[in-house]
Amino acid sequence: MESSGGGTAPHHFVCPISLQPMQDPVTAPTGISYDRRAIERWLADGHATCPVTGRPLALADLTPNHTLRRLILSWEPASTTVEPAGAPSSDRHDDPGLDAIVAKLMSPDSCPADSVLREAAVMASLSGFARRCMVRAGVLTRVLRLFASCGKMKSSRAAMMPTLDACLGLVDALDVSADEIRRLVVDNLALVDALTHVLVTLDSGSLSHGDVSTREHAVRLLESVTEAADVALLERLRPELFRAVTAVLRDRTTVSPGATRAALRALLNACGSGKNRALVAEAGAAHEAIELELASWPSSPGGSSRRVTELVMALLARLCACAEGRAAVAAHPAGIAVVAKRVLRVSAAADACAVRVLAAVCGRAASPEVVREMARVGAVGKLCCVLQADCDPDVKETARAVLRMHSGVWCGSPCVSAYLLSRYL
C-alpha cells in the first residue's frame, strides 16, 4: 500500500474493507481489525458477518483498538497519507487553501467567522488529509473552546446559534474518536452545558432542515463526550439534557438512523452512572426505546434494525438496574412482549441484555400482574428456549433463576407448558 509520500503502510495498519490505513480502528471478536467507518457501512448494508472470516458479527461486538490507533498515528508522518489517483488539490499537503483555513481557525487575535468554520467543515469532509492536518494543528481544541464559550453567553444564546451550528458541523466533519476527545472533556462542564443548550433549544416546535442537521451533529458529539467522560462529569448531566435526547428517539420522522443510534449510545453511556439511570428513566427513555424498537423492526430484520435492537436492549438492561426503569418497562403495554420476542432472534449480546431485562422486571418484587403477563406474552416460553439453546452459561443461569422463582404460578397457567418447566427445572 503506497502513500503519496512514498511510504508503505504495514499490512496490519490497513483496513481489509477500504484497503486504506485505518483512522479509527475497531476490533471484532474474530481478532480482525477494521476502520470504524468501513465496518459500520458494511453492517449497515445488511451484512451480519465478519467480512474476513464469515463468522457472525454485530455492531455491539466491536471494540475500539486504541493501541493500534496510536501505532498508526506514530507511524504516519505529516507528509504521508494514502490518496486515490487524481485526488483534488485539497487532498495534497501543499494546498495553500488548507494552510489559510487552518491559519484563520487558529488565529489568536480573533475568533473564526462562521463562514470559515463552514468552509473548513466542507474541506475536512472531502479530504482525509485535510481532516488529519486540522486535528494535528489543534483545530479540534480551538473549536470546542469556541463552542463552549458561545454556550456560556446566556444573554445572546439565540444569536449565537449560527456559530454553535458551524462549530458542531466542523467537529462532526473532523470525525474524531472518543479517545481523541477524552483529554478535552475532563471537567469540561462548559462543553456539556453548551450541548445541553443546543439540544434543549431544538427540542421545541417544528425544526427547519438546518435545525435538524444541527441537532444531529450535537447528538453525535454528545455520544463522544459521554463515552470519554468520567463518572464525576456524567453525574453533572442535567435532567433537561436527558429529556432532549429522549426527544430525538421520539422524533422518528426527521432524525436519521445514525443520529438515533448516537442518541441511544449517549443515553447508554450516561447510564454508566447509577444516579443518571433514574433521571433517564424519568425522561421517558425506556418508553421511547420500546416504541423505537416496535417501529424499527421489519418483518425481515436487517443490519440497521439489528444494531438498533442491540442498543435498545442494552439501554433497557441498564435502566432496569433501578426501580424507575423496571416500572417503565412493565408499564409499557408492549414492553415485556417486545423484549421477549427479541430473545434468540438477534445476537448473543441482545440475548444477554434481553434476559437481564426480563429477570429484572420479573424479580422478587414483581407484581402478580407482571408475572401473569410474562406467561401470557410468551416470555416464559422464551426463557425455556434459552435453556435449550446454545447460549452463554450465565444467561442460562439467569433464565433458570427466573423460572424457578415463579414456577409455582406458571405451572398452573394455560399459557405455559408444564412439561417444559418440569423438564428444565
Side-chain angles (χ1 to χ4, degrees):
M1 180 64 63
E2 293 294 329
S3 72
S4 61
T8 301
H11 68 89
H12 54 281
F13 289 178
V14 176
C15 174
I17 299 175
S18 67
L19 302 181
Q20 302 289 333
M22 291 176 275
Q23 297 180 30
D24 187 7
V26 292
T27 301
T30 56
I32 308 297
S33 292
Y34 302 94
D35 187 74
R36 183 184 295 276
R37 277 188 169 185
I39 190 63
E40 287 187 348
R41 193 179 303 117
W42 166 271
L43 294 172
D45 289 339
H47 301 287
T49 58
C50 172
V52 174
T53 65
R55 295 179 184 176
L57 178 65
L59 182 66
D61 299 331
L62 301 173
T63 56
N65 192 330
H66 300 307
T67 301
L68 179 57
R69 179 178 176 79
R70 285 192 291 269
L71 289 172
I72 294 173
L73 290 175
S74 64
W75 162 80
E76 185 182 72
S79 60
T80 302
T81 183
V82 176
E83 304 294 351
S89 60
S90 60
D91 273 355
R92 294 195 291 269
H93 56 273
D94 58 350
D95 179 20
L98 174 59
D99 296 336
I101 286 292
V102 171
K104 290 178 182 178
L105 291 170
M106 300 304 296
S107 173
D109 300 325
S110 60
C111 292
D114 296 352
S115 59
V116 174
L117 293 168
R118 297 185 192 283
E119 185 178 353
V122 172
M123 191 174 290
S125 64
L126 294 177
S127 167
F129 176 75
R131 183 165 57 246
R132 289 189 290 274
C133 280
M134 291 182 194
V135 172
R136 288 176 181 141
V139 168
L140 176 64
T141 304
R142 170 74 162 161
V143 173
L144 287 180
R145 285 176 179 169
L146 174 61
F147 178 78
S149 64
C150 290
K152 288 181 180 178
M153 299 178 184
K154 298 181 179 180
S155 59
S156 57
R157 276 181 168 178
M160 296 307 297
M161 278 301 291
T163 302
L164 293 170
D165 174 39
C167 289
L168 287 170
L170 178 51
V171 172
D172 194 62
L174 291 175
D175 193 30
V176 294
S177 66
D179 191 44
E180 290 174 306
I181 208 171
R182 183 168 284 109
R183 61 186 175 81
L184 305 175
V185 170
V186 178
D187 295 328
N188 195 346
L189 187 60
L191 173 60
V192 175
D193 284 343
L195 279 170
T196 302
H197 162 66
V198 171
L199 288 168
V200 170
T201 300
L202 297 178
D203 181 28
S204 57
S206 58
L207 301 178
S208 66
H209 177 74
D211 290 338
V212 171
S213 177
T214 302
R215 184 164 69 161
E216 293 195 0
H217 291 159
V219 169
R220 282 195 281 267
L221 177 57
L222 180 65
E223 177 197 352
S224 297
V225 169
T226 54
E227 182 181 348
D230 57 14
V231 175
L233 184 59
L234 289 177
E235 290 185 345
R236 300 176 75 177
L237 299 180
R238 302 205 299 267
E240 55 264 36
L241 175 62
F242 298 136
R243 290 193 291 270
V245 178
T246 299
V248 175
L249 301 182
R250 186 183 307 117
D251 188 4
R252 291 180 286 275
T253 57
T254 59
V255 176
S256 70
T260 298
R261 292 192 294 272
L264 286 169
R265 291 191 193 100
L267 292 172
L268 185 59
N269 295 336
C271 287
S273 163
K275 172 187 174 183
N276 287 341
R277 290 170 191 157
L279 296 176
V280 173
E282 289 169 358
H287 179 91
E288 294 305 331
I290 294 169
E291 288 293 321
L292 175 65
E293 182 63 13
L294 287 169
S296 66
W297 191 267
S299 56
S300 299
S304 179
S305 294
R306 192 179 300 272
R307 293 200 306 282
V308 169
T309 295
E310 289 171 344
L311 290 169
V312 166
M313 293 301 135
L315 177 59
L316 293 178
R318 284 272 179 94
L319 292 176
C320 283
C322 70
E324 292 84 354
R326 293 190 292 272
V329 173
H332 193 290
I336 295 176
V338 165
V339 174
K341 194 172 183 65
R342 299 302 177 256
V343 176
L344 302 179
R345 291 193 63 191
V346 184
S347 66
D351 292 343
C353 292
V355 171
R356 280 170 53 199
V357 172
L358 295 177
V361 171
C362 198
R364 296 190 181 279
S367 67
E369 291 78 10
V370 169
V371 175
R372 287 194 294 269
E373 185 178 359
M374 286 279 291
R376 187 170 60 252
V377 301
V380 178
K382 269 299 180 73
L383 292 176
C384 290
C385 291
V386 167
L387 299 182
Q388 303 175 60
D390 183 20
C391 292
D392 183 271
D394 290 340
V395 176
K396 287 189 174 186
E397 187 53 40
T398 302
R400 185 178 286 108
V402 177
L403 292 172
R404 282 175 177 160
M405 191 182 304
H406 301 290
S407 60
V409 177
W410 290 332
C411 279
S413 171
C415 304
V416 178
S417 168
Y419 166 74
L420 280 179
L421 283 177
S422 61
R423 178 181 177 183
Y424 291 105
L425 298 181

